[in-house]
Amino acid sequence: WDPSPVEHMAALAGFTALDYSSDGASSADAAIRADASQLVVIRYGVADTVHGLAPAQFAAHIARLVDEARALGKRVLLTGLTHAGDVDTAPLDAAMRDCAVRAGVTFVDVHALPFGPGDLADGIHPAEGYSRRVGEAIAAAIAAIFRAQ
């Protein structure tokens, strides 16, 4: 992708982003420490969540990333998981939401966005329209965070 979905979302909100994700894996710890960014967006995809990780383990990992980012003076935005065909993302989506509430950080509930037939490109990945709705919701949240400062 050029630009990456993350970079595209930030551009929609009028900001610059650095995308540290790659091939379903993310070097989140290094990314949080790597630059002088003001905001960290933590977003997981289905490939990141279907590897047998229990919701409690997932929540502990997310909480650690949030704590690390905040200790460095960065704002944090967490997103829910998108719909993904037959993959049940609801337990990890709920863990992400609960983590955001406990930490007092912004949560974008992308799972609650309008979703219907044709919104998955291949039965698991978002098609263009659904991806656009997700990006616009995240971009709006980013803009709101910076307006509130």
Side-chain angles (χ1 to χ4, degrees), residues 67-93:
D67 289 346
E68 185 174 343
R70 292 173 95 187
L72 293 169
K74 298 172 189 269
R75 293 180 199 104
V76 178
L77 181 144
L78 300 178
T79 76
L81 285 82
T82 58
H83 292 272
D86 293 335
V87 178
D88 182 12
T89 60
L92 297 181
D93 188 69

Side-chain angles (χ1 to χ4, degrees), residues 26-139:
S26 177
S27 55
D29 295 310
I32 289 171
R33 294 186 303 272
D35 60 60
S37 62
Q38 298 174 3
L39 172 72
V40 174
V41 177
I42 301 174
R43 174 162 164 61
Y44 279 76
V46 174
D48 299 309
T49 61
V50 295
H51 299 290
L53 198 59
Q57 292 172 305
F58 182 71
H61 172 69
I62 298 303
R64 186 181 58 72
L65 294 175
V66 169
D67 289 346
E68 185 174 343
R70 292 173 95 187
L72 293 169
K74 298 172 189 269
R75 293 180 199 104
V76 178
L77 181 144
L78 300 178
T79 76
L81 285 82
T82 58
H83 292 272
D86 293 335
V87 178
D88 182 12
T89 60
L92 297 181
D93 188 69
M96 188 75 103
R97 182 183 308 103
D98 292 345
C99 184
V101 169
R102 280 194 305 278
V105 300
T106 301
F107 178 75
V108 178
D109 191 356
V110 299
H111 199 79
L113 294 173
F115 179 82
D119 278 339
L120 295 177
D122 58 5
I124 196 165
H125 296 99
E128 184 178 344
Y130 185 38
S131 186
R132 184 179 306 111
R133 288 191 297 278
V134 169
E136 289 169 350
I138 293 170

